[in-house]
Amino acid sequence: MQLIQQNPDLSAYLAADDVIDHHHPVVRETAARLVGPAADSYDYARLAYEYVRDAVPHSADSGDPRVTWRASDVLESGTGVCYAKSHALAALLRAEDIPTALCYQRLATGDGGHALHGLVAVRLKGAWHRQDCRGNKPGVTARFSLDGECLAFPVRPELGETDYPELHAVPHPRVLTALRTAADRHHLWRILPEGLSDGEEGADA
């Protein structure tokens, strides 16, 4: 899939803000711990990816009701859904000057509906490469790769699933609104957007 860089200024994918707060001490300390054994930027990106994938459980897998959305909170609390974990990974990578974008998929929920799924794309070796740090479980095996995607959920067009090609420098407003509004994870599941396009606003996911 041809990814679309929405902002021609690559520095937008290195920026810190209230969500991808890579200036925060928790993010900086985590990055410093991970960069120590890394041989190069590629190795650091892999280590950061594996840390977020494996050491920060997806809250639906662990049963944690908390909803996190700020990168530093995700790392400090050790929990998050796919969007939150993507924010944390983006912050760790941007902290070490690796351009990182947020990406989305529209996936079937199994009950006839759809919901957005969040992942990232990293800029390494002169190209963008999507990575999914959601967390592995039975039936889901994702890994860091620059040689062909190894994502948690390859899309199934026959089920109305979609890969959105846009590379977002900041979280999509629909995603951020849901995360900030949700009282807990069960509430979040009820207000998740179905997709990014008009007509895909709401779902009971």
Side-chain angles (χ1 to χ4, degrees):
M1 183 184 65
Q2 184 65 41
L3 297 174
I4 301 172
Q5 186 173 315
Q6 287 196 311
N7 195 319
D9 184 357
L10 202 59
S11 67
Y13 300 97
L14 292 169
D17 58 24
D18 190 42
V19 181
I20 304 174
D21 57 341
H22 62 74
H23 53 275
H24 193 281
V26 169
V27 178
R28 303 303 305 185
E29 290 163 10
T30 305
R33 188 169 67 251
L34 294 169
V35 81
D40 51 27
S41 292
Y42 166 79
D43 200 33
Y44 171 76
R46 178 185 58 80
L47 290 170
Y49 166 85
E50 290 174 352
Y51 179 81
V52 176
R53 183 193 65 184
D54 300 338
V56 180
H58 189 291
S59 56
D61 297 345
S62 65
D64 196 317
R66 293 174 294 172
V67 176
T68 53
W69 52 269
R70 185 179 285 113
S72 58
D73 290 339
V74 176
L75 295 174
E76 189 166 37
S77 301
T79 190
V81 296
C82 59
Y83 316 117
K85 294 185 65 170
S86 294
H87 300 165
L89 179 56
L92 289 173
L93 295 174
R94 291 184 185 186
E96 293 299 322
D97 295 321
I98 298 173
T100 307
L102 302 173
C103 303
Y104 300 97
Q105 296 173 311
R106 182 178 189 248
L107 300 177
T109 58
D111 58 2
H114 294 84
L116 275 178
H117 176 60
L119 53 161
V120 306
V122 297
R123 180 84 177 180
L124 288 168
K125 298 184 177 180
W128 289 100
H129 307 271
R130 290 193 304 169
Q131 315 292 335
D132 194 335
C133 62
R134 178 232 178 266
N136 291 338
K137 62 178 183 175
V140 175
T141 306
R143 62 178 175 81
F144 186 84
S145 175
L146 303 185
D147 302 310
E149 293 183 338
C150 189
L151 305 179
F153 305 111
V155 300
R156 299 163 293 177
E158 68 275 12
L159 298 181
E161 297 184 341
T162 303
D163 274 319
Y164 294 105
E166 295 84 8
L167 297 168
H168 298 265
V170 297
H172 193 281
R174 288 180 179 171
V175 170
L176 201 51
T177 296
L179 289 172
R180 285 174 162 166
T181 301
D184 56 30
R185 181 171 48 81
H186 297 292
H187 182 208
L188 177 64
W189 264 208
R190 295 195 298 272
I191 62 174
L192 282 177
E194 274 203 15
L196 301 182
S197 303
D198 291 340
E200 299 176 343
E201 288 95 345
D204 185 359

